[in-house]
Amino acid sequence: MAKIISISNQKGGVGKTTTAVNLSASIAAFERKVLLVDLDPQGNASQGLGFNEIQDEDIYEALEMAADPATLTLESLKGIIKPTALKYMHIIPSNPGLAGLELDLVTADRREYRLATVLNLLRDQYEYIIIDSPPSLSQLTINALTAADTVLIPVQCEFYSLNGLAELYNTIRGVQKNFNSKLRHEGVVLTMYSSQLSLSKEVVEQVKSEYSEKIFKTMIPRNVKLAESPSHGKPIILYDIQCVGAKAYIALAKELLGIPGDMNG
């Protein structure tokens, strides 16, 4: 049965989608079956894996079908799951229509459980399901947290990235209280780290002192190759496996999976 991890941070530009794509790909490299769910209307995770066109079936259709759980079956979901260049990795692509669907969800019954309804049907097909949440505290983000077993929070190594974390933690507590009492913290991943910048080191120390949840030993460095790979529609391990960005995400996957080995940082 899959472990469902929501990668969430309402602040944009913190490496959320980069982490969703490359952590998923690195988990797949260790031959664990993984499904990446692109729940962001911008569809950047989908584009980062080469899905630049709107698909005939995607997460939008899945959430629409989930309005009537009685009609939702594994067979009806088959068309939304797309293969990737990695044998052990699949994706459910995004759709810009999600932004409109979110407005419809405001008045819908059991609106917080749409994604959970979909993913509970798919749990037995994968070992890990990774959700790329939107960069906002929205109905879609609530759906991601309600469906998840754990939440992983990327935090950029810059001062302003710490702003708003308290609000995110309040949202997580609200979901735990009202919709998903089993939701737990997977941990914080520090991104865009530079050992040459004193600010990066200060942010690391501040996060360690202020947040009691797990902080991954692996830190994701600033890396040009990581920034380039989405434009080529490839995760970093297929674009340049020798670069420091690829090595960092492989190390992060090992840490998450509990595989012994050296971690950076």
Side-chain angles (χ1 to χ4, degrees):
M1 181 176 287
K3 180 178 186 178
I4 303 176
I5 303 172
S6 175
I7 299 185
S8 302
N9 192 324
Q10 80 275 20
K11 188 177 186 304
V14 299
K16 179 183 59 63
T17 296
T18 299
T19 296
V21 169
N22 291 301
L23 178 58
S24 297
S26 297
I27 290 172
F30 287 106
E31 299 187 354
R32 298 335 196 250
K33 291 187 68 176
V34 59
L35 174 67
L36 174 61
V37 180
D38 189 351
L39 200 63
D40 186 346
Q42 297 176 84
N44 290 335
S46 303
Q47 294 159 16
L49 289 171
F51 292 86
N52 296 311
E53 305 295 331
I54 297 175
Q55 304 296 300
D56 292 334
E57 296 176 278
D58 50 38
I59 191 62
Y60 180 93
E61 279 71 27
L63 296 176
E64 286 269 87
M65 287 189 288
D68 185 3
T71 65
L72 198 64
T73 64
L74 269 176
E75 187 65 30
S76 67
L77 292 175
K78 277 186 178 179
I80 71 169
I81 301 170
K82 316 295 182 185
T84 72
L86 289 158
K87 178 181 177 181
Y88 289 88
M89 181 179 177
H90 292 159
I91 183 173
I92 298 180
S94 184
N95 184 314
L98 280 175
L101 177 63
E102 188 161 30
L103 294 175
D104 296 338
L105 288 176
V106 172
T107 57
D109 291 335
R110 291 181 59 81
R111 58 186 178 269
E112 298 87 3
Y113 297 94
R114 291 281 186 95
L115 184 62
T117 301
V118 173
L119 297 188
N120 283 337
L121 272 178
L122 299 173
R123 267 189 187 267
D124 290 340
Q125 311 299 310
Y126 297 92
E127 294 173 79
Y128 289 88
I129 297 176
I130 308 291
I131 307 167
D132 185 28
S133 305
S136 61
L137 296 179
S138 62
Q139 275 296 328
L140 292 174
T141 300
I142 299 297
N143 262 262
L145 295 173
T146 301
D149 298 311
T150 64
V151 55
L152 186 154
I153 304 170
V155 175
Q156 184 182 4
C157 289
E158 291 189 2
F159 173 75
Y160 288 117
S161 68
L162 297 175
N163 294 347
L165 267 186
E167 188 178 359
L168 175 59
Y169 277 102
N170 285 337
T171 299
I172 292 169
R173 285 191 287 269
V175 169
Q176 289 170 323
K177 179 179 179 180
N178 296 299
F179 309 120
N180 182 7
S181 61
K182 296 181 180 180
L183 180 65
R184 296 292 178 264
H185 290 272
E186 190 69 42
V188 171
V189 175
L190 292 156
T191 64
M192 304 182 199
Y193 177 79
S194 173
S195 60
Q196 306 302 314
L197 296 177
S198 59
L199 178 60
S200 284
K201 296 176 182 178
E202 289 171 12
V203 171
V204 170
E205 291 307 312
Q206 188 170 350
V207 170
K208 287 180 177 179
S209 66
E210 292 186 12
Y211 297 96
S212 59
E213 287 77 20
K214 174 182 176 181
I215 299 171
F216 283 88
K217 293 178 182 177
T218 304
M219 293 183 284
I220 309 302
R222 289 188 176 275
N223 181 236
V224 172
K225 296 293 185 180
L226 272 177
E228 291 175 353
S229 61
S231 65
H232 295 268
K234 294 180 179 180
I236 191 62
I237 63 170
L238 294 183
Y239 181 63
D240 186 351
I241 197 169
Q242 296 299 325
C243 74
V244 294
K247 291 176 180 178
Y249 275 109
I250 291 169
L252 180 62
K254 290 174 72 174
E255 193 174 352
L256 181 74
L257 296 171
I259 298 173
D262 294 336
M263 310 300 175
N264 68 357

